[in-house]
């Protein structure tokens, strides 16, 4: 009798555990693999999306985040990291995944604006009060100024900073030769290259390295949230680069997990009024013109130029400037 009772208890316990496991696994979970300085934005965005998804479908959903230098993230996904979506800061990182068969070849056609729901630009963060009186790009090549930037080999933040620095010379009427000369001088003022955008911010504010940080406009809010207001001043240069924040569904993962519809709903929500407002609150430029104008006090007027204007395309810039043996390797010598 005792044996039968124990068997009954064990059976019921197993059934309960199995039921609990099935219930727990019934909740869909998405993984968003993203670039380094977008973590605070997606933390708020995910909370809003989860509530929106529950309201519109009646279902619960979980969203996990992964953040690092964008190129490192793209390589991790290519190597098997099971992202449902990728949200990057350079199109070349998603093109890389498309070439690997991980995302659709025509990923740009899957969502509006070439699958880039938001944009940004590069500006300067300086220490409170701007003690070095840094106002524009030419100040970054002064001998008394040390510059913190991301390695363009490992992060889109670094590539955008490099292209912005090169392009602003062209925007003033300069030649590519003059732009190359400017880049050479700029990187001589870089004491050490950061791995990603958040690493660069840590070098600047935690390790107190450098006089100016070249980074995305959105990093202003992140710095204030993490380190408190008043630590830095944002300097908007006379000209800078429009940077796109492209997104894509990771076909390899969603086909395996059956999460294609959820992944699409997640990326669609980036284009919604609520998603665009959250982006604006994080100093990320919304595509929605009405919302952009409503935040005109944040998004200062800058002479903006595109990658295509001076580099042909981001893919072409990658080949010429950032591939091994390219312009960056020729112009930057560590320790000099």
């Amino acid at each position: 009798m005792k044996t039968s009772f124990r068997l009954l208890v064990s059976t019921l316990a197993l059934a309960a555990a199995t039921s609990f496991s099935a219930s727990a696994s019934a909740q869909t979970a998405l993984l968003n693999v993203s670039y380094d300085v977008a973590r605070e934005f997606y933390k708020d965005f995910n909370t809003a999306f989860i509530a929106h998804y529950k309201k519109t479908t009646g279902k619960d959903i979980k969203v996990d985040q992964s953040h690092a230098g964008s190129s490192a993230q793209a390589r991790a996904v290519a190597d098997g990291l099971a992202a449902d979506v990728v949200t990057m800061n350079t199109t070349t990182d998603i093109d890389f995944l498309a070439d690997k068969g991980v995302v659709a070849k025509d990923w740009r056609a899957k969502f509006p604006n070439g699958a880039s729901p938001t944009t940004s630009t590069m500006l300067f963060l300086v220490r409170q009060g701007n003690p070095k009186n840094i106002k524009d790009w030419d100040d970054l090549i002064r001998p008394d100024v040390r510059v913190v930037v991301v390695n363009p080999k490992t992060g889109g933040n670094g590539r955008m900073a490099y292209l912005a620095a090169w392009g602003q010379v062209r925007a003033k009427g300069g030649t590519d030769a003059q732009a190359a000369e400017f880049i050479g001088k700029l990187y001589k003022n870089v004491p050490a290259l950061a791995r990603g955008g958040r690493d660069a911010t840590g070098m600047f504010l935690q390790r107190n390295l450098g006089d100016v940080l070249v980074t995305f406009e959105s990093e202003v809010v992140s710095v204030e949230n993490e380190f408190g207001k008043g630590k830095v001043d944002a300097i908007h240069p006379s000209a800078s680069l429009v940077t796109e924040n492209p997104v894509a569904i990771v076909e390899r993962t969603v086909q395996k997990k059956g999460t294609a519809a959820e992944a699409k709903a997640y990326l669609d929500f980036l284009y919604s009024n609520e998603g665009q407002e959250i982006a604006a609150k994080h100093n990320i430029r919304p595509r929605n013109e009405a919302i952009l104008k409503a935040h005109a006090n944040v998004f200062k007027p800058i002479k903006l130029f595109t990658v295509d204007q001076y580099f042909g395309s981001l893919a072409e810039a990658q080949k010429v400037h950032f591939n091994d043996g390219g312009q960056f390797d020729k112009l930057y010598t560590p320790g000099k």
Side-chain angles (χ1 to χ4, degrees):
M1 189 71 175
K2 288 183 179 179
T3 302
S4 298
F5 179 77
R6 289 196 194 98
L7 182 60
L8 176 62
V9 170
S10 298
T11 302
L12 290 172
L14 179 61
T18 303
S19 175
F20 176 79
S21 176
S23 174
S25 64
Q27 184 185 40
T28 302
L30 298 177
L31 174 60
N32 173 15
V33 172
S34 190
Y35 60 102
D36 212 10
V37 300
R39 66 189 74 219
E40 284 82 11
F41 164 60
Y42 278 108
K43 182 179 178 182
D44 287 351
F45 176 82
N46 290 346
T47 299
F49 171 72
I50 290 167
H52 164 80
Y53 191 79
K54 178 71 171 179
K55 182 178 179 180
T56 56
T57 69
K59 299 176 184 177
D60 292 319
I61 194 167
K62 181 185 180 194
V63 183
D64 294 314
Q65 299 174 228
S66 171
H67 297 273
S70 59
S71 295
Q73 291 288 74
R75 287 192 296 271
V77 172
D79 290 342
L81 179 60
D84 295 90
V85 299
V86 286
T87 58
M88 299 299 193
N89 57 23
T90 61
T91 56
T92 50
D93 287 329
I94 300 186
D95 283 335
F96 168 75
L97 293 173
D99 290 341
K100 298 285 186 182
V102 177
V103 307
K105 291 287 186 185
D106 63 343
W107 63 269
R108 286 177 176 81
K110 300 290 186 181
F111 296 93
N113 304 114
S116 292
T118 59
T119 68
S120 191
T121 191
M122 308 306 292
L123 48 67
F124 313 150
L125 297 187
V126 298
R127 304 193 189 285
Q128 184 183 24
N130 195 8
K132 289 292 181 80
N133 196 30
I134 294 167
K135 295 180 179 178
D136 212 342
W137 290 99
D138 286 345
D139 293 315
L140 273 55
I141 61 173
R142 286 172 14 204
D144 65 320
V145 171
R146 291 294 172 265
V147 183
V148 177
V149 290
V150 173
N151 186 342
K153 297 272 196 172
T154 59
N157 187 310
R159 286 195 291 282
M160 295 302 104
Y162 174 105
L163 295 176
W166 185 291
Q168 60 85 27
V169 176
R170 295 293 312 278
K172 292 189 295 187
T175 64
D176 279 330
Q178 290 170 322
E181 181 182 2
F182 181 88
I183 288 288
K185 291 177 180 178
L186 172 63
Y187 281 87
K188 283 181 181 176
N189 284 352
V190 176
L193 290 169
R195 296 184 302 274
R198 192 45 48 86
D199 182 43
T201 301
M203 289 170 65
F204 186 62
L205 285 173
Q206 292 176 317
R207 293 168 54 190
N208 208 35
L209 192 66
D211 304 298
V212 54
L213 168 65
V214 184
T215 190
F216 286 114
E217 190 172 39
S218 58
E219 192 65 350
V220 175
V221 172
S222 299
V223 166
E224 289 180 348
N225 288 342
E226 185 170 351
F227 298 96
K229 292 189 176 184
K231 298 290 184 182
V232 298
D233 293 342
I235 306 298
H236 292 74
S238 58
S240 194
L241 180 75
V242 175
T243 67
E244 294 185 315
N245 301 317
V247 301
I249 294 172
V250 180
E251 304 293 343
R252 181 188 64 192
T253 303
V254 300
Q255 288 171 12
K256 185 177 180 180
K257 290 173 57 181
T259 52
E262 291 84 355
K264 184 179 186 305
Y266 180 79
L267 296 183
D268 281 340
F269 192 61
L270 284 165
Y271 291 88
S272 70
N273 287 346
E274 187 174 1
Q276 295 277 288
E277 278 286 357
I278 296 168
K281 289 174 183 175
H282 284 267
N283 275 39
I284 299 171
R285 296 184 178 226
R287 290 285 196 179
N288 184 306
E289 288 295 329
I291 294 173
L292 182 64
K293 287 179 182 177
H295 294 269
N297 62 316
V298 173
F299 301 114
K300 307 293 184 184
I302 304 176
K303 181 180 180 180
L304 294 172
F305 52 86
T306 66
V307 170
D308 292 359
Q309 279 179 260
Y310 302 124
F311 306 98
S313 68
L314 200 51
E316 186 63 24
Q318 178 69 38
K319 293 175 189 174
V320 172
H321 293 272
F322 308 124
N323 283 356
D324 290 345
Q327 284 280 27
F328 175 72
D329 286 346
K330 295 173 183 175
L331 295 169
Y332 174 70
T333 304
K336 287 191 176 181

